[in-house]
């Protein structure tokens, strides 16, 4: 079911992969940080592979990495509290 699939994705991406990474970096709010990265990963996968947005389907792996790496870096290590 869709609920089961969503739970499996949350568990795999959020809890097993990204939360341990965010926790090891020693920054505040690791669960939020991991969730922010997960939202980008899931959103990109949906937009590229399910919806088929042309600019994303034709972008190379290197282009996507270059575009998303600074975002992931900010989510994992940058400030996230409102100033």
């Amino acid at each position: 079911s869709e609920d089961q699939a969503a739970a499996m994705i949350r568990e795999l991406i959020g809890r097993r992969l990204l939360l341990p990474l965010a926790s090891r970096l020693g920054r505040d709010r690791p669960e939020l940080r991991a969730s922010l990265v997960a939202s980008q990963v899931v959103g990109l996968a949906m937009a590229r592979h399910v919806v088929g947005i042309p600019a994303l389907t034709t972008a190379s792996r290197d282009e996507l990495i270059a575009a998303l790496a600074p975002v992931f870096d900010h989510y994992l290590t940058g400030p996230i509290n409102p100033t």
Side-chain angles (χ1 to χ4, degrees), residues 20-75:
L21 171 64
S23 296
R24 285 189 187 108
L25 293 174
R27 301 291 297 184
D28 62 324
R29 305 184 72 187
E31 190 165 311
L32 175 59
R33 292 173 182 279
S35 296
L36 289 167
V37 174
S39 73
Q40 295 294 304
V41 170
V42 171
L44 176 63
M46 286 290 295
R48 186 173 180 166
H49 300 289
V50 177
V51 177
I53 295 174
L56 294 175
T57 61
T58 59
S60 72
R61 180 177 179 212
D62 289 340
E63 289 173 313
L64 295 174
I65 290 169
L68 290 171
V71 176
F72 291 174
D73 183 57
H74 175 78
Y75 284 163

